[in-house]
Amino acid sequence: MNQDLNSYFKELRSSLEADMPFEEVKGLVQNHPIGKAPIPKGKTFLNGTTMTITSLSVITGATLLWLATGSSTQPEAQNSSISAPSKVKVETHHTAETPTLEASEQPSETKFKNLKNSTLHQETKVTIEDVIALDSLPVPVAVPTPQKQEISSPLKKYATQKDTQPTGDTRVTWGTKTDDPPRPIMAQTNTPYSSSQLLPEPQSPQFSLREASNMDDPDPETENAKVFLIKATDTKEKLDEIQKALENEGFKANIKGTFRNGTLTALKGQVKKNKSNTSFVVTDFERVEITVKMNKKGELLGVDIASDDDIGYLRKIENQSYSQNQAPAPPPSAIPPPPVGFSPSTEEELRQHREAMENEAQVLAEEARAIAAELRATMEDASATAAKEAHVLRIEAQADALEAKADLLEESIEMMEAKKVMEEERIRLLEEEIELLRKEVKTLRAEKDEAKDSATAEKIQVQIEAVERQIELRRNTREEMRSKATEQRNQMQEKRSVILEQTRAIRQQARELRKEACAAKCSDQH
Amino acid sequence: MPESTPKQSQERFLQLYQPVHESLLRFCEAMTRHPELAKELVSEVVLEALENLHKLRDEAAFLGFLFGIARNCHRRKFRRKARETDLPDQVLHRADQNPGPERSAEVALLYEALAKLPEKQQEALLLFEVSGFSLEEIRKIQGGSLSGVKLRLKRGREKLKKLLGLLEPATTG
């Protein structure tokens, strides 16, 4: 009987048909990122390096492995792994708009400048501009991004509000080599300030009339001011002139412009004198008014920046430079001076202008809100559609899998039926054999009766007994087979009904899934 | 495993793995009962073993390490499959036991009977009969003593015979 069990296993062994050459496994192992050369810490890729992360595990304190493939401008990125000392996060560098990957959102393609404090996801396509190991991340000291919520100057406030508009941005940023927070208007000057020199918060989002009404009050410390007007249409020569003019005043000045198609698009400058040092950056402007403020001794107090509408509504500025001592005096209440040279015709005019600005700002804010809401709705729609499509696909795949399983189950029932037929056939063959043996016994008995001598009769008798033993043996086998077949048939019946039940349930489930998929599709189309 | 570069680890892994590749493939096919699923499982096992090779202190224990991973991967896959299809475990398990059209009824019956054995006995029988491991190698994979492995095989066979209706009839006279 042990032989029988061995035949079952033999059958099992011969039924195995998976074919997977060792070379396939070898390739799998050799292509695993574990064997890739690690990228040295602090390695910076060229801007625009694109990697598709196909395998990634983020474990605190462990090695971060990823397989970088796809279009990369740097070949080594395709065969490298990155070791990170801690969790890896992704965010842009030196900008307030920081796209950070959240668990819920997995953008297919996002641009990142830095790897820092965020979780990456598998199959995330990342365009990496700088890959820097965490412990070698530079401390951002050069021109840090000012915190928008901390902006307190009317000009900055206004500039920030304009930033929220879809077009026509005016951005003014301040930078300094010190760790001092950015200061409004008088920002980033190393000369010590008293708190009274800082602008108060405006009462309305717009430029407050307070500044306008106090414009004539001189700043007690500001004795001199040099004002320069720069337009987007100006050339480099104009900037050089300004720089020269400042240098003539004893300042170390460095004013640089970025020109695009002959238009001045950005202005970056630095004005130094002794220990005072002020830098500024202005972008997206039509006109900029730069006021360099000095005290009696000629020490640098700061630089005021006013651009576009700030200038436009305060004063109709023409293309001209302003001479010294034109700065209006700030009020004793320590409100810093508005842009130098400001001289409103009437208060009424200012009030009207302020109202106009307030209205405009309201309209723009409403527009911005509407656009944001629209964008949000569009994004929600898009994500809902994508989720629905994925759901439909998943349901259809499940339904297909279930159908295939049901088919397999039905085929297995057929196999069982075939086995039953075979068993019956074997029993039938045994019965035929027994019948033949019986006939042989009958013939032998006849021969024995006809035997002339007792010796022959005895010999035939022995043959008869042998055949009868064979008949008996076969009968036993047949009975055994019958009982086994009956038992197996019962088992099969039981199994068959279970399988049929499963098949029915599975088919039903598949049908429901298909209906669900269809409904989802239809609702999607509508 | 001694400290080595990733490249060396890969080479060492391949050296250790090559002799048991066929056995693992057969074992995985017997476990999953499907050639494609078996290949998928082997790939998963290989990658997991490679990634965790540094945890293997003694190369002599590689067999146990590899087949332990195979066992765990198979369990995980089975659970995952049950979750994905939303079918009750029992139905899925039963459905999995049923042979495809290409399999003989004997194989189907054997699979069904094997599924009714305790996990260790089933595994020991498959390692011995299908993967072709020796008793000593099975001891390395399953742990315990050699007599424990023998006992597992003996009891497993007895149960199988009973389940397949192959028990010898009581001898008379």
Side-chain angles (χ1 to χ4, degrees):
Chain A
M1 279 299 178
N2 221 359
Q3 190 59 39
D4 286 338
L5 191 56
N6 287 341
S7 71
Y8 270 89
F9 275 115
K10 199 176 168 187
E11 188 79 17
L12 173 60
R13 281 192 293 271
S14 61
S15 76
L16 298 177
E17 56 188 25
D19 180 29
M20 191 181 191
F22 174 69
E23 276 60 40
E24 205 173 311
V25 175
K26 199 175 172 183
L28 201 68
V29 169
Q30 283 171 345
N31 284 326
H32 194 278
I34 204 166
K36 309 289 181 203
I39 296 171
K41 280 177 188 171
K43 164 82 181 167
T44 304
F45 289 98
L46 291 173
N47 284 352
T49 300
T50 303
M51 294 178 179
T52 305
I53 295 174
T54 53
S55 167
L56 181 73
S57 51
V58 181
I59 308 157
T60 305
T63 304
L64 166 80
L65 293 171
W66 64 7
L67 184 63
T69 58
S71 60
S72 170
T73 53
Q74 290 183 309
E76 71 264 35
Q78 294 184 5
N79 289 306
S80 303
S81 66
I82 289 178
S83 296
S86 183
K87 258 190 165 181
V88 170
K89 288 193 177 184
V90 177
E91 64 179 23
T92 52
H93 191 45
H94 295 165
T95 173
E97 291 81 35
T98 302
T100 307
L101 279 178
E102 298 294 336
S104 56
E105 54 176 26
Q106 298 183 23
S108 59
E109 187 174 358
T110 316
K111 278 193 171 185
F112 300 106
K113 289 184 179 175
N114 236 337
L115 282 178
K116 187 186 165 196
N117 302 326
S118 172
T119 306
L120 291 174
H121 302 277
Q122 289 195 355
E123 305 294 341
T124 303
K125 195 175 178 188
V126 183
T127 300
I128 295 165
E129 295 188 5
D130 296 299
V131 176
I132 301 166
L134 280 184
D135 51 2
S136 65
L137 278 178
V139 180
V141 286
V143 196
T145 308
Q147 297 291 314
K148 287 194 171 178
Q149 58 270 35
E150 288 174 13
I151 291 171
S152 58
S153 99
L155 171 61
K156 285 178 101 178
K157 196 89 179 176
Y158 181 63
T160 310
Q161 280 178 347
K162 285 203 80 178
D163 277 353
T164 61
Q165 306 309 317
T167 56
D169 282 9
T170 294
R171 291 199 179 87
V172 183
T173 55
W174 282 262
T176 181
K177 284 184 178 173
T178 67
D179 291 337
D180 290 343
R183 291 170 192 277
I185 294 201
M186 301 288 285
Q188 308 308 316
T189 301
N190 284 348
T191 308
Y193 281 91
S194 65
S195 59
S196 61
Q197 282 177 293
L198 293 173
L199 281 173
E201 280 289 332
Q203 285 174 351
S204 75
Q206 281 69 48
F207 196 98
S208 166
L209 252 190
R210 269 199 294 164
E211 283 82 17
S213 60
N214 289 320
M215 272 186 320
D216 293 331
D217 298 334
D219 184 338
E221 286 189 24
T222 306
E223 293 294 325
N224 298 319
K226 262 217 160 294
V227 183
F228 304 96
L229 179 75
I230 299 168
K231 287 179 170 180
T233 50
D234 283 343
T235 57
K236 193 175 178 299
E237 283 71 39
K238 177 73 183 283
L239 300 182
D240 291 342
E241 269 176 37
I242 295 170
Q243 189 170 319
K244 213 168 179 184
L246 282 167
E247 280 168 359
N248 290 340
E249 289 292 324
F251 294 107
K252 275 186 183 173
N254 186 6
I255 296 171
K256 284 180 181 172
T258 307
F259 293 89
R260 230 174 254 165
N261 300 328
T263 309
L264 182 61
T265 55
L267 192 64
K268 190 178 170 185
Q270 194 177 28
V271 183
K272 284 187 197 172
K273 193 166 191 181
N274 299 330
K275 287 178 185 175
S276 296
N277 175 10
T278 302
S279 60
F280 58 88
V281 178
V282 190
T283 55
D284 303 317
F285 55 84
E286 286 297 318
R287 288 172 297 177
V288 183
E289 192 182 80
I290 300 170
T291 309
V292 180
K293 301 173 79 179
M294 296 167 280
N295 64 11
K296 228 184 251 180
K297 295 172 191 170
E299 287 170 344
L300 176 66
L301 289 179
V303 177
D304 285 358
I305 308 289
S307 74
D308 295 347
D309 293 337
D310 307 309
I311 302 169
Y313 100 88
L314 289 173
R315 189 183 47 178
K316 303 291 178 202
I317 286 177
E318 294 306 323
N319 182 14
Q320 56 179 309
S321 294
Y322 292 83
S323 60
Q324 293 180 12
N325 300 321
Q326 282 183 315
S333 59
I335 296 170
V340 179
F342 177 73
S343 56
S345 55
T346 58
E347 276 198 15
E348 181 59 25
E349 191 186 331
L350 277 171
R351 194 184 57 75
Q352 282 172 2
H353 198 93
R354 188 193 65 176
E355 280 170 6
M357 291 299 293
E358 277 173 357
N359 291 339
E360 194 192 342
Q362 268 173 9
V363 169
L364 288 172
E366 269 168 29
E367 270 178 27
R369 269 196 295 277
I371 289 167
E374 200 179 318
L375 265 173
R376 250 196 316 275
T378 313
M379 281 170 73
E380 276 167 14
D381 280 356
S383 65
T385 311
K388 203 175 269 180
E389 275 174 10
H391 183 59
V392 168
L393 285 175
R394 203 167 54 240
I395 289 171
E396 280 182 349
Q398 275 183 20
D400 288 344
L402 290 173
E403 290 279 6
K405 190 151 274 176
D407 289 346
L408 281 176
L409 290 175
E410 279 182 355
E411 278 164 9
S412 74
I413 289 175
E414 281 169 21
M415 286 294 298
M416 285 198 300
E417 297 287 349
K419 198 185 174 213
K420 195 172 120 188
V421 172
M422 268 169 59
E423 287 287 322
E424 280 168 359
E425 182 64 19
R426 278 174 68 188
I427 291 169
R428 198 184 59 77
L429 283 170
L430 265 176
E431 277 172 353
E432 273 179 14
E433 227 175 301
I434 290 167
E435 195 57 38
L436 281 171
L437 288 170
R438 268 194 201 136
K439 277 179 188 167
E440 201 181 331
V441 169
K442 214 182 247 178
T443 316
L444 284 169
R445 280 204 178 123
E447 277 177 20
K448 187 188 157 194
D449 290 345
E450 285 169 13
K452 289 171 185 171
D453 52 20
S454 61
T456 313
E458 210 169 295
K459 208 176 171 183
I460 292 170
Q461 181 58 35
V462 171
Q463 280 180 8
I464 290 169
E465 279 170 11
V467 175
E468 275 177 345
R469 268 201 303 278
Q470 278 187 31
I471 291 172
E472 188 58 32
L473 205 66
R474 276 167 178 71
R475 266 189 196 142
N476 286 343
T477 314
R478 186 190 63 189
E479 289 311 309
E480 205 176 296
M481 280 177 77
R482 266 187 186 154
S483 66
K484 204 171 99 183
T486 314
E487 197 185 328
Q488 277 183 353
R489 204 172 300 142
N490 291 340
Q491 276 180 3
M492 278 182 195
Q493 287 287 356
E494 206 177 305
K495 203 167 138 192
R496 192 172 181 273
S497 61
V498 169
I499 289 174
L500 278 174
E501 195 186 318
Q502 285 171 17
T503 313
R504 214 169 23 247
I506 286 171
R507 286 209 190 281
Q508 176 66 25
Q509 203 173 350
R511 266 197 300 279
E512 278 166 14
L513 282 171
R514 284 203 196 286
K515 262 188 218 165
E516 200 183 322
C518 186
K521 250 188 212 168
C522 292
S523 72
D524 204 26
Q525 279 164 5
H526 290 299
Chain B
M1 291 286 285
E3 284 292 318
S4 56
T5 64
K7 259 285 181 262
Q8 284 172 334
S9 299
Q10 279 177 332
E11 291 301 319
R12 189 73 205 111
F13 176 80
L14 286 173
Q15 277 175 13
L16 290 168
Y17 175 75
Q18 191 169 12
V20 291
H21 170 64
E22 280 302 319
S23 306
L24 178 72
L25 183 62
R26 292 165 79 80
F27 177 73
C28 287
E29 192 175 354
M31 293 289 276
T32 58
R33 289 150 208 201
H34 196 287
E36 289 308 313
L37 287 179
K39 284 163 75 174
E40 204 179 292
L41 183 60
V42 167
S43 306
E44 217 168 294
V45 171
V46 164
L47 290 182
E48 198 168 326
L50 177 67
E51 281 165 17
N52 292 293
L53 194 65
H54 61 278
K55 293 179 188 165
L56 181 67
R57 289 183 188 158
D58 181 9
E59 282 184 10
F62 182 72
L63 266 184
F65 169 74
L66 188 72
F67 280 81
I69 290 175
R71 190 188 304 132
N72 291 337
C73 279
H74 179 252
R75 267 188 216 145
R76 272 203 306 272
K77 270 178 97 74
F78 186 77
R79 272 204 296 267
R80 199 160 57 222
K81 205 170 157 191
R83 269 202 306 273
E84 279 167 7
T85 51
D86 289 337
L87 278 172
D89 273 8
Q90 211 181 356
V91 172
L92 191 80
H93 188 73
R94 278 189 198 164
D96 269 352
Q97 311 314 313
N98 290 293
E102 69 283 358
R103 279 203 188 111
S104 71
E106 276 84 1
V107 176
L109 285 171
L110 181 59
Y111 272 143
E112 186 154 337
L114 274 168
K116 287 174 185 162
L117 297 186
E119 199 180 3
K120 281 255 177 184
Q121 283 178 13
Q122 182 191 349
E123 192 184 280
L125 278 166
L126 288 179
L127 288 169
F128 188 80
E129 298 285 353
V130 178
S131 295
F133 284 118
S134 68
L135 294 176
E136 178 56 28
E137 283 168 329
I138 297 172
R139 187 194 65 75
K140 280 181 186 167
I141 293 169
Q142 291 200 315
S145 65
L146 201 62
S147 57
V149 174
K150 283 180 190 167
L151 202 63
R152 237 170 264 148
L153 284 172
K154 187 173 176 280
R155 285 184 181 161
R157 277 203 188 95
E158 276 168 6
K159 276 188 192 167
L160 268 189
K161 278 184 211 167
K162 202 172 168 186
L163 288 165
L164 292 168
L166 298 174
L167 274 181
E168 285 181 44
T171 45
T172 50

